[in-house]
Amino acid sequence: MNKQEKKLLSGKPVAARILNFCAESIAKRLSAGLAAPGLAIVRVGANEEDLAYETRILRDCSKIGIRPVTFSLPATISAGEFIVHIQKLNQDPSVQGILVFRPLPEHLDTDEIAHSIAPEKDVDCMNPINLKKLITGDRSAVLPCTPEAVIEILKHYGHNLSGRNVVIVNRSLVLGKPLALMLLNENATPTICHSRTVDLKKITRKADIVVVGVGQACYFDGTFFAPESIVIDVGINTKEDGSMSGDLDFEDVAPVVDAVTPVPGGVGAVTTAVLLRHVVNAMEAGNFSKNPEYSCTSSCSSI
Ligand code: NAP
């Protein structure tokens, strides 16, 4: 790896390696005369970020042979109707993975919906059964895709995590909280910061690795970091001119830090690949829900 590659932590080679693994597994399955794995993508409404993520997933599915099925549900859907929909997918043997886009509209109880996804088809660690496995360090846990992508990138570029101070600027369930647990499992020392953190800059400047995900374009300039900092930008923001940006002012940050991920072409690309690897793992495990708790009720057939 040359100096430039070490400095710019591109997600592309990381994603390509994961997708190659997936493609090989699926090719073996097809050559054995079995069906390709299926991924159900469940989206409520049509916000720009969800649509962009969905487009990336569909593109990568077609590259490696996963069969995606997209469900675009109306923003007015009730929790009951949503759950019946999920139960049908739990029971469908052609579906190995179920992805529900978050955040859900406020009138839907995310917890209740997370509970309804069969744990073995839950490819983004929404169901509390999978979250509990993550908390207890159970290696059979299906990990949440974005934090797993962050760790994949760091490892791919040879950044050892054991003993490192890692600051995460985000405390959501999608990123900050699970990432902190995963870093503990890697023997790192994580610190979580958020909007009420006092003197954020003082904390980020002291860290070996900083992961940012505040959802504000160009929020972090070079003064937040030290020359030794390794910076992972999870933010995906649309600027006024329509272009995509992370949370970093990339032009300002890149020259002053040791290594940094770009946006686009960083964490997002790897998140999609990790998601598809979870579908392939579910396929390898022969997944379909055998747990009566996730069985289709009589009302399933009405939708
Ligand atoms: P979220 O739930 O809104 O969380 C944002 C977090 O940032 C919160 O913890 C918030 O603190 C913190 N925050 C906001 N402003 C801050 C500030 N000025 N200083 C310090 N902390 C601040 O969003 P999310 O779902 O976690 O997503 C975060 C970003 O990651 C978004 O841009 C999203 O598009 C992106 N994302 C990317 C991927 C990917 O694959 N690359 C996947 C998922 C999400 P409080 O908790 O105090 O409010």
Side-chain angles (χ1 to χ4, degrees), residues 76-88:
T76 52
I77 192 165
S78 71
E81 288 168 327
F82 197 113
I83 287 169
V84 167
H85 202 81
I86 296 289
Q87 286 170 333
K88 284 182 87 172

Side-chain angles (χ1 to χ4, degrees), residues 24-104:
E24 280 172 18
S25 298
I26 294 169
K28 272 189 210 151
R29 181 176 168 90
L30 295 179
S31 65
L34 297 166
L39 168 65
I41 303 166
V42 184
R43 168 168 53 74
V44 181
N47 88 48
E48 235 174 85
E49 279 163 25
D50 285 353
L51 290 175
Y53 186 27
E54 187 176 298
T55 303
R56 289 204 306 274
I57 296 171
L58 296 177
R59 183 201 59 202
D60 286 350
C61 280
S62 76
K63 275 189 203 161
I64 64 172
I66 287 178
R67 283 176 302 96
V69 196
T70 305
F71 298 91
S72 175
L73 305 179
T76 52
I77 192 165
S78 71
E81 288 168 327
F82 197 113
I83 287 169
V84 167
H85 202 81
I86 296 289
Q87 286 170 333
K88 284 182 87 172
L89 296 172
N90 287 342
Q91 285 300 103
D92 185 341
S94 71
V95 170
Q96 273 65 45
I98 301 171
L99 174 70
V100 173
F101 281 164
R102 290 178 274 179
L104 289 164

Side-chain angles (χ1 to χ4, degrees), residues 1-15 149-159 208-211 228-233 248 250 254 257-270:
M1 212 178 295
N2 65 37
K3 209 172 163 192
Q4 185 61 25
E5 283 167 337
K6 273 187 173 168
K7 185 163 177 100
L8 185 71
L9 307 177
S10 168
K12 287 179 187 164
V14 190
V150 169
I151 289 183
E152 283 282 348
I153 291 176
L154 288 165
K155 287 188 173 173
H156 177 93
Y157 288 97
H159 294 295
D208 300 312
I209 299 168
V210 185
V211 181
E228 311 76 37
S229 304
I230 294 156
V231 188
I232 308 290
D233 190 353
L248 300 177
F250 188 83
V257 297
D258 185 40
V260 60
T261 55
V263 176
V267 177
V270 183

Side-chain angles (χ1 to χ4, degrees), residues 49 146 169-172 194-195 213-216 219 234-236 268 271:
E49 279 163 25
T146 306
V169 192
N170 179 295
R171 60 172 161 180
S172 75
H194 47 78
S195 65
V214 301
Q216 296 176 50
Y219 184 82
V234 180
I236 300 178
T271 298

